[in-house]
Amino acid sequence: MSGKVLLVHGLLNADWWLRPLAARLRSQGFDTELFGYSSVLDGPQRAVPRMVERLRRARVDAIVGHSLGGLVALEALREAPDAAVSRVVCLGSPLRGSLTARTIASRPWSRPLLGRSAQLLQGGLGQWEGAAEVGLVAGDVARGLGRLFAHFDGGSDGTVGLEETCLPGLADHCVVHSSHTGLVFSREAVAQAVHFLRHGRFER
């Protein structure tokens, strides 16, 4: 497929942070648009209705969301099952909930970092039963600030555990050699995202 791809950033970021990713997708023939929101002050409570409005205003063919952005995107599609979005790529999204977020929320001094996104980050989605095909690209380089808050039994990208990215209902799942933040800039992650957007599966 080709067409309009909406890019959604994660916690404590802004839409401009996804410009390098947008440029790479445009070089592959996709028309990109950035979706910005305040992850701390507004959170999903305001971001999701705004995204639903955007999806209904003009056609969006696919969504790529990093971390919290993937959760926000899927919540919006739950509320707008009539949207034309056929595929969603999540980059490092804790679809099953985040141990890092739960640890941050348990400490009064760090809890404000999550803002109004705390509940969605801690609990995740539960499962995915929407019409859109969802693929998740996870990282396995345990590097980043997330290591200050969580210790994972298995692999992780330093912020999100690999097990936290696996959700019933996903069309596909793959792991690339990247940290959590690095997923946005990783050539391997972008290549996998492009392959999923075009074919509904990741390249093996």
Side-chain angles (χ1 to χ4, degrees):
M1 66 158 278
S2 59
K4 174 73 74 174
V5 180
L6 193 66
L7 306 184
V8 191
H9 63 82
L11 182 71
L12 301 174
N13 287 125
D15 56 1
W16 58 263
W17 191 66
L18 296 178
R19 287 176 184 170
L21 175 59
R24 287 184 175 177
L25 291 176
R26 285 196 301 272
S27 72
Q28 295 296 317
F30 296 97
D31 179 18
T32 62
E33 179 181 334
L34 303 179
F35 180 86
Y37 64 103
S38 172
S39 60
V40 174
L41 297 179
D42 293 343
Q45 295 93 329
R46 295 181 182 176
V48 168
R50 282 187 51 233
M51 184 175 290
V52 168
E53 189 278 329
R54 170 61 192 87
L55 296 177
R56 288 176 170 161
R57 184 174 70 249
R59 184 181 181 91
V60 171
D61 298 289
I63 301 175
V64 176
H66 178 246
S67 196
L68 172 63
L71 291 165
V72 169
L74 294 180
E75 287 287 359
L77 289 178
R78 276 181 169 174
E79 296 193 13
D82 55 324
V85 176
S86 59
R87 288 173 184 153
V88 178
V89 175
C90 298
L91 302 175
S93 299
L95 300 181
R96 294 178 61 184
S98 167
L99 172 62
T100 300
R102 291 191 291 273
T103 304
I104 290 174
S106 70
R107 301 171 179 175
W109 63 270
S110 60
R111 190 179 304 136
L113 293 173
L114 302 177
R116 293 182 173 176
S117 295
Q119 182 175 352
L120 183 57
L121 283 170
Q122 291 179 80
L125 290 179
Q127 61 182 341
W128 174 249
E129 297 177 340
E133 296 177 304
V134 179
L136 191 137
V137 182
D140 65 0
V141 177
R143 183 171 60 235
L145 294 176
R147 293 189 303 165
L148 299 176
F149 298 98
H151 299 282
F152 300 98
D153 293 332
S156 79
D157 63 12
T159 299
V160 176
L162 291 180
E163 290 188 356
E164 296 174 340
T165 64
C166 299
L167 188 73
L170 292 185
D172 206 353
H173 183 284
C174 73
V175 179
V176 300
H177 196 58
S178 173
S179 66
H180 187 70
T181 299
L183 285 167
V184 172
F185 308 101
S186 163
R187 291 186 181 276
E188 186 182 3
V190 174
Q192 290 286 14
V194 167
H195 198 274
F196 187 89
L197 291 175
R198 288 178 174 159
H199 305 289
R201 64 184 185 279
F202 293 120
E203 187 173 20
R204 304 303 177 191

